[in-house]
Amino acid sequence: MIKRKTYIEVKKRSAALIDKAGLSFTAEEKNKIDVADFGLSDIYKEGVQILTFFDTDRIAGKLLILLSDQTEPEHWHPAIGNNPGKQEIIRALWGELRFYIPGVNNMRFGFIPEGQESNFTVRHEIIMKPGDQLVLEPGTKHWFQAGPEGALLYSFSTTVCDIKDGFTDPKIVRTTVIEED
Amino acid sequence: MIKRKTYIEVKKRSAALIDKAGLSFTAEEKNKIDVADFGLSDIYKEGVQILTFFDTDRIAGKLLILLSDQTEPEHWHPAIGNNPGKQEIIRALWGELRFYIPGVNNMRFGFIPEGQESNFTVRHEIIMKPGDQLVLEPGTKHWFQAGPEGALLYSFSTTVCDIKDGFTDPKIVRTTVIEED
């Protein structure tokens, strides 16, 4: 649940970050930014803003926008029937991006959102600078977090089916509900 | 065939355009820019520079770089066996991009490279500005050309198999041969 006023504010701040980074997105695209609070109702703490610039039946391209210290919850893209699951390429574009995948716990720069210790299980930290990139195979648990200035990153992938994503936090609901003031 | 000296010059000018546009590509990536002369041995007239930033068994992302008035020859991505063929998303990033697909001949800003009338058959012109985008389904003939300042564009696609692409110009050979001075 997110209040209409907060939803508008988050969208506005996300569009401003795109402009600050000097990225070529049209006004129409910026207007379609999606705000995902994952049903946790604490958008500035856990959430992500998504600008989907293409999404065909075969491939998708999204710009993900994180505000200052905002965290995208831990999740993974499972296989679905005959589909091996979403393969995703992450490419850092602007700001400091803290990315977490399975492996040795070397967490140093990021933090687990307060009270959420059990919902962030992978803690191998990769600090991504603009132009850094990684490939996530289906099923790989991952979460990420912006530095103090926020962060912009691309997500390129095979067919998207967000509704089938797995999340570590059992409280998560993928659909954002907007509460009118 | 392209002389080593020209090859190096074209790579250098392409990397300079990336810097001018302010895009986040690493020095290592810029060093891997591929120069394609399509065997026509006239790179400044017909050719393209390609920076492949990811290319898995399922999806690919490339930055295409055209120098001033440079033209990528007409081609298409055919079906191969059970694969329906490459679906490609073109996204204009910087400079003026003249794009040609099947449809009414409304060509006004671009030009057919001299002596190549028969090798450029589709002439429905779309002038793409930064942030403009189009989806090319497999089998769709297309070619494109930069304006006087050059142009940068993304190509995102399903699995790439350049060697299977169809070209209208029968003189085309996909592999670039570098001639040592």
Side-chain angles (χ1 to χ4, degrees), chain A residues 21-22 24-26 29 53-54 56-59 83-89 91-94 130-133 135 137-138 154 156-159, chain B residues 21-22 24-26 29 53-54 56-59 83-89 91-94 130-133 135 137-138 154 156-159:
Chain A
S24 299
F25 286 93
T26 64
E29 286 174 327
F53 53 101
F54 64 89
T56 76
D57 56 334
R58 299 171 71 188
I59 48 175
N83 187 315
K86 181 169 117 171
Q87 187 189 53
E88 184 174 22
I89 284 87
R91 188 176 173 92
L93 271 176
W94 187 88
D132 287 349
Q133 191 175 276
V135 179
E137 294 301 337
Y154 280 138
F156 300 110
S157 73
T158 57
T159 322
Chain B
S24 299
F25 286 94
T26 63
E29 285 174 327
F53 53 101
F54 63 88
T56 76
D57 56 333
R58 299 172 70 188
I59 48 174
N83 186 315
K86 180 170 119 171
Q87 186 190 53
E88 185 175 21
I89 284 87
R91 188 174 173 94
L93 272 176
W94 187 88
D132 287 349
Q133 191 176 275
V135 179
E137 294 301 337
Y154 281 138
F156 300 110
S157 73
T158 57
T159 322

